[in-house]
Amino acid sequence: MTGADAGAIHATAVATQIAGDWRGVLLTGASGSGKSDLALRLIGEGWRLIGDDYVHVWRSGGAVFATAPDQIAGRIEARGLGIVATPSRWISRIALVVACGQVPPERLPEPDHVEIAGLRLPCLTLDIRPASATRTLAVALSSGVRQV
């Protein structure tokens, strides 16, 4: 994905406030990799949904932003339950990309990145199954240790 407007991408986006500033995370991975499950757990910890399954991303002022298409805004799929309303935000700047999976990542991986809308963003590979996954993600986002 390159250019100022990357368009709609297959990802779930969530955001949280850190020191008064909203910071967003793009949760990426194949269908069934646990993106919505991880997002629901984060929402349970006070995060807000930007968009589930597909989000529109673009570059502006040296940052990447995401929003949900109107038809799915404020709703997320809770597997086994269906589509449900959830606390959400209309837009957020994206500060981190998380590659969701169900395989333990390396213990001490080298910093990684992905390019979205022509900008390089830090990327964290995360096994979404452990209860600690939400905390690991929050630490990576707030500490900046994943910057590349």
Side-chain angles (χ1 to χ4, degrees), residues 81-147:
L81 184 61
I83 307 297
V84 297
T86 191
S88 62
R89 284 186 54 79
W90 175 71
I91 190 173
S92 184
R93 180 180 60 85
I94 300 300
L96 178 67
V97 176
V98 174
C100 297
Q102 298 184 12
V103 176
E106 296 178 42
R107 284 186 62 216
L108 299 170
E110 291 294 319
D112 197 7
H113 77 279
V114 294
E115 188 173 302
I116 297 179
L119 292 177
R120 188 171 147 138
L121 294 174
C123 182
L124 171 69
T125 299
L126 184 65
D127 181 351
I128 62 93
R129 296 171 301 171
S132 63
T134 58
R135 189 69 198 132
T136 299
L137 192 160
V139 168
L141 182 61
S142 65
S143 68
V145 297
R146 299 299 307 169
Q147 298 300 320

Side-chain angles (χ1 to χ4, degrees), residues 25-66:
V25 175
L26 278 180
L27 306 176
T28 64
S31 292
S33 64
K35 298 179 298 293
S36 296
D37 177 78
L38 180 58
L40 283 167
R41 288 188 276 156
L42 290 164
I43 291 164
E45 295 179 10
W47 291 56
R48 296 291 179 259
L49 177 70
I50 303 304
D52 183 42
D53 202 31
Y54 282 91
V55 292
H56 183 81
V57 295
W58 70 96
R59 180 182 72 212
S60 178
V64 173
F65 292 86

